[in-house]
């Protein structure tokens, strides 16, 4: 399973030197959709605290409603990519949006491929 | 019977220091007897035992008259047997005349060339005498000093034991100056003075100057970094077995350290009361009203949160404080 296309990596400031690694090294994201998903995840992480606090004010029965309306407007004003709802758990290797097992972060096809080659630790073909 | 004679001769040389005045007197008498009789008399005289004090005195006398003995030795080498040994010189040289006499007697009793054997025996005796004198001379001084010191000063038993055991061997080289019987010097707490002493060079002086000079060097250049990386890459051999692979992974951070430490990366130095009792942070808020109610709920939730550090909790409360201050005008309208 090799990368279909080479797309430029998101700008990382830390320099990563090429280390002598015998395994397959992925230095590019599989496709643009994966890249966008990565951006969304980063943004969601940055704004997570703010969103939590504003939501705490909104989902409240004690504070006055006017305050809550203001909070609604504020949270809507945040960048759209900062909400965690927009994150899609794609397959890490193929960027497949569907059929992804959460524990391994792999799509079903990749998972099957590795499991048959005995490269998944503790995974066995079920038979009962 | 020659071997037996030689062995007895050696015994004589060993026991030669045990001579007394009796030996001197008898020696003079034995001069007139036959050689064999002389031999027997000498052996008999030499076997007389002496007290330790007399031995020490003799050794002391030996030191004083060492030169005279050497002179006599020179005379004896000629082969002449000194028959007229006076009583005065007897104490200073108890070895030589008797030994010489014995040697001559032995040589005469032997069938071969008498003069040759006599000279050989005398040479042997001389060598033996020199070695023993050297040892005993050193031993005499130290023992004497040790005894004197013991009577004068109060010392720890360890020190005393060490001195006595070391007294036999020369300790003049180790200490800069040997401890002398100083009866007036009661100032030094230990017998070893803290003042002048030869440096043992055990501890190296912590010199600060070279460190400063090293620090002024510029930070490592890119070339140095590259070189270091190259060296690390070359020396990092691929793992030979699974254990080494796991070690490598642990170093990189891929693998956890076992037994698993749940608090890795989490350095919370705060006590439990700082986590739970957060009301002190609520001082900036109004004491009544819905906001206070709301904030109390917030605090209740934070106190039950084990995942945040105290700093994060404080930041949380401060954010709310800032937010409500901005909204103050709006709140006033309500």
């Amino acid at each position: 399973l090799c990368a279909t296309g080479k797309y430029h990596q998101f700008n990382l400031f830390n320099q990563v030197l090429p280390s002598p690694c015998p395994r397959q090294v992925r230095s590019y994201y599989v496709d643009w959709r994966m890249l966008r998903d990565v951006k969304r995840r980063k943004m969601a992480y940055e704004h997570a605290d703010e969103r939590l606090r504003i939501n705490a004010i909104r989902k409240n029965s004690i504070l006055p409603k006017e305050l809550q309306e203001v909070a609604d407007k504020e949270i809507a004003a945040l960048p759209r990519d900062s909400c965690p709802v927009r994150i899609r758990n794609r397959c890490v290797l193929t960027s497949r949006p569907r059929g992804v097992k959460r524990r391994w972060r792999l799509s079903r096809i990749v998972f099957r491929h590795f499991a048959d080659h005995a490269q998944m630790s503790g995974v066995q073909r079920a038979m009962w | 019977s020659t071997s037996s004679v030689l062995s007895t001769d050696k015994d004589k040389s060993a026991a030669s220091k045990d001579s007394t005045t009796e030996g001197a007197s008898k020696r003079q008498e034995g001069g007139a007897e036959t050689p064999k009789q002389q031999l027997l008399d000498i052996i008999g005289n030499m076997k007389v035992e002496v007290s330790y004090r007399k031995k020490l005195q003799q050794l002391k006398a030996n030191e004083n008259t060492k030169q005279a003995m050497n002179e006599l030795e020179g005379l004896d080498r000629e082969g002449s047997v000194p028959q007229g040994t006076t009583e005065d010189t007897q104490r200073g040289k108890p070895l030589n005349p008797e030994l010489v006499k014995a040697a001559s007697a032995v040589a005469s009793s032997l069938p071969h060339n008498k003069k040759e054997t006599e000279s050989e025996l005398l040479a042997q005796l001389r060598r033996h005498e020199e070695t023993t004198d050297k040892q005993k001379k050193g031993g005499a001084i130290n023992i004497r000093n040790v005894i004197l010191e013991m009577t004068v000063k109060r010392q720890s038993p360890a020190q005393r034991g060490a001195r006595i055991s070391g007294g036999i061997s020369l300790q003049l080289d180790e200490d800069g100056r040997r401890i002398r019987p100083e009866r007036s010097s009661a100032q030094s707490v230990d017998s070893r003075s803290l003042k002048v002493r030869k440096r043992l060079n055990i501890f190296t002086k912590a010199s600060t100057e070279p460190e400063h000079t090293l620090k002024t060097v510029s930070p490592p250049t890119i070339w140095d970094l590259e070189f270091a990386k190259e060296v690390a890459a070359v020396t990092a051999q691929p793992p030979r077995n699974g254990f080494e692979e796991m070690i490598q992974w642990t170093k990189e951070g891929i693998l956890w350290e076992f037994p698993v430490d749940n608090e890795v990366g989490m350095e919370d130095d705060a006590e439990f009361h700082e986590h739970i009792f957060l009301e002190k942070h609520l001082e900036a808020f109004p004491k009544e009203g819905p906001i206070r109610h709301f904030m109390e709920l917030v605090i209740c939730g934070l106190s039950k949160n084990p995942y945040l550090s105290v700093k994060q909790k404080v930041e949380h409360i401060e954010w709310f404080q800032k937010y409500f201050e901005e909204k103050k005008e709006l709140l006033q309208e309500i």
Side-chain angles (χ1 to χ4, degrees):
Chain A
L1 286 162
C2 56
T4 52
K6 288 199 169 177
Y7 295 102
H8 185 62
Q9 199 181 14
F10 197 76
N11 186 24
L12 298 171
F13 294 102
N14 298 325
Q15 188 187 7
V16 176
L17 289 172
S19 57
C21 183
R23 293 182 212 87
Q24 202 178 23
V25 176
R26 282 173 165 69
S27 48
Y28 302 98
Y29 289 113
V30 177
D31 53 10
W32 289 97
R33 282 169 287 177
M34 192 191 244
L35 215 180
R36 278 182 266 146
D37 195 56
V38 167
K39 279 192 215 172
R40 281 183 205 122
R41 281 170 193 267
K42 284 196 180 135
M43 218 166 218
Y45 180 80
E46 284 162 25
H47 295 274
D49 293 336
E50 266 181 62
R51 285 197 101 92
L52 173 76
R53 286 156 191 169
I54 294 167
N55 269 328
I57 291 165
R58 282 173 67 226
K59 313 286 177 182
N60 221 333
S61 55
I62 304 158
L63 293 172
K65 283 182 186 175
E66 289 84 359
L67 201 63
Q68 286 173 4
E69 283 163 21
V70 168
D72 287 341
K73 285 173 197 170
E74 269 194 11
I75 206 165
L78 285 173
R80 197 161 277 193
D81 274 351
S82 66
C83 60
V85 188
R86 286 169 72 89
I87 292 167
R88 182 79 199 187
N89 292 324
R90 285 173 167 276
C91 170
V92 164
L93 293 178
T94 51
S95 177
R96 197 162 192 275
R98 295 197 176 91
V100 179
K101 284 311 275 179
R102 205 170 201 172
R103 185 174 167 182
W104 295 277
R105 300 180 188 174
L106 292 174
S107 83
R108 55 180 177 81
I109 303 155
V110 177
F111 174 82
R112 236 177 78 94
H113 177 268
F114 283 132
D116 287 341
H117 287 73
Q119 285 164 7
M120 295 297 277
S121 172
V123 172
Q124 196 188 14
R125 274 188 165 265
M127 188 162 43
W128 71 99
Chain B
S1 68
T2 51
S3 62
S4 64
V5 168
L6 285 165
S7 63
T8 50
D9 184 77
K10 277 179 187 168
D11 289 336
K12 264 185 260 161
S13 63
S16 61
K17 296 179 186 177
D18 299 337
S19 61
T20 56
T21 50
E22 293 178 341
S25 58
K26 282 207 174 171
R27 205 193 311 133
Q28 285 172 358
E29 290 173 1
E33 297 170 6
T34 57
K36 266 194 180 176
Q37 202 61 37
Q38 283 178 26
L39 249 178
L40 291 168
D41 288 338
I42 287 158
I43 289 161
N45 295 336
M46 282 186 173
K47 277 182 185 170
V48 175
E49 285 186 5
V50 191
S51 66
Y52 190 71
R53 189 176 283 182
K54 282 192 182 173
K55 194 171 169 183
L56 277 175
Q57 284 170 352
Q58 278 175 14
L59 290 168
K60 197 180 161 190
N62 279 344
E63 301 159 27
N64 300 332
T65 58
K66 186 70 181 173
Q67 289 178 357
M69 282 169 75
N70 285 332
E71 286 171 18
L72 260 182
E73 275 185 7
L75 289 169
D76 291 337
R77 272 168 216 155
E78 292 169 358
S80 63
V81 177
Q83 296 204 354
T85 49
T86 53
E87 297 254 358
D88 300 330
T89 55
Q90 184 271 325
R91 284 232 173 231
K93 307 162 286 269
L95 301 166
N96 253 335
E98 287 185 11
L99 286 173
V100 167
K101 264 248 165 174
S104 65
V106 165
S108 58
S109 67
L110 288 171
H112 299 289
N113 192 356
K114 292 175 190 179
K115 289 236 169 170
E116 267 185 30
T117 50
E118 202 183 303
S119 61
E120 279 172 23
L121 288 166
L122 284 168
Q124 271 189 11
L125 289 167
R126 222 177 298 124
R127 267 177 265 137
H128 182 83
E129 179 196 296
E130 277 170 17
T131 51
T132 46
D133 274 342
K134 270 182 212 168
Q135 282 176 8
K136 297 248 173 165
K137 180 187 176 184
I141 296 168
N142 288 340
I143 290 162
R144 223 172 135 233
N145 287 349
V146 162
I147 290 161
L148 283 166
E149 280 170 333
M150 274 157 62
T151 53
V152 171
K153 289 182 195 173
R154 247 187 297 157
Q155 290 157 3
S156 62
Q159 280 181 354
R160 199 183 299 157
R163 204 169 288 107
I164 287 167
S165 63
I168 295 160
S169 63
L170 279 169
Q171 273 191 1
L172 289 161
D173 299 329
E174 290 167 14
D175 300 342
R177 56 165 194 207
R178 184 80 184 104
I179 299 148
R180 281 174 209 126
E182 297 168 353
R183 304 185 189 202
S184 57
S185 69
Q187 301 304 321
S188 61
V189 179
D190 294 332
S191 59
R192 299 175 186 284
S193 62
L194 299 165
K195 301 170 247 175
V196 175
R197 199 46 61 115
K198 214 198 254 185
R199 282 190 169 275
L200 292 169
N201 294 329
I202 294 168
F203 303 109
T204 54
K205 250 189 197 173
S207 54
T208 54
E209 282 188 13
E211 288 173 10
H212 286 304
T213 55
L214 280 169
K215 276 171 192 170
T216 53
V217 172
S218 62
T221 62
I222 297 163
W223 305 115
D224 293 339
L225 289 167
E226 281 298 314
F227 180 67
K229 280 169 197 166
E230 218 182 287
V231 164
V234 165
T235 52
Q237 297 296 321
R240 295 178 293 181
N241 51 36
F243 291 116
E244 289 195 7
E245 199 182 28
M246 281 201 277
I247 290 164
Q248 207 176 327
W249 284 346
T250 311
K251 280 182 194 168
E252 285 171 27
I254 295 163
L255 207 60
W256 284 346
E257 282 179 4
F258 296 102
V260 173
D261 183 16
N262 282 323
E263 291 169 14
V264 166
M266 216 168 74
E267 292 166 11
D268 211 7
D269 303 327
E271 298 289 316
F272 73 98
H273 55 86
E274 289 174 44
H275 276 100
I276 292 164
F277 303 113
L278 298 160
E279 280 178 10
K280 59 187 175 184
H281 302 293
L282 282 189
E283 286 165 9
F285 289 94
K287 293 207 177 172
E288 283 179 357
I291 293 173
R292 182 78 185 193
H293 187 35
F294 173 73
M295 286 315 295
E296 277 174 9
L297 288 172
V298 165
I299 274 164
C300 179
L302 281 177
S303 67
K304 293 180 187 178
N305 190 336
Y307 302 107
L308 296 177
S309 66
V310 174
K311 205 178 163 190
Q312 284 169 326
K313 290 179 186 176
V314 168
E315 276 174 15
H316 197 90
I317 295 164
E318 279 174 9
W319 185 92
F320 274 113
Q321 194 182 332
K322 217 174 20 170
Y323 182 82
F324 285 126
E325 274 181 18
E326 285 172 11
K327 307 290 177 230
K328 244 185 186 174
E329 301 150 4
L330 185 75
L331 293 167
Q332 307 262 308
E333 288 170 24
I334 303 161

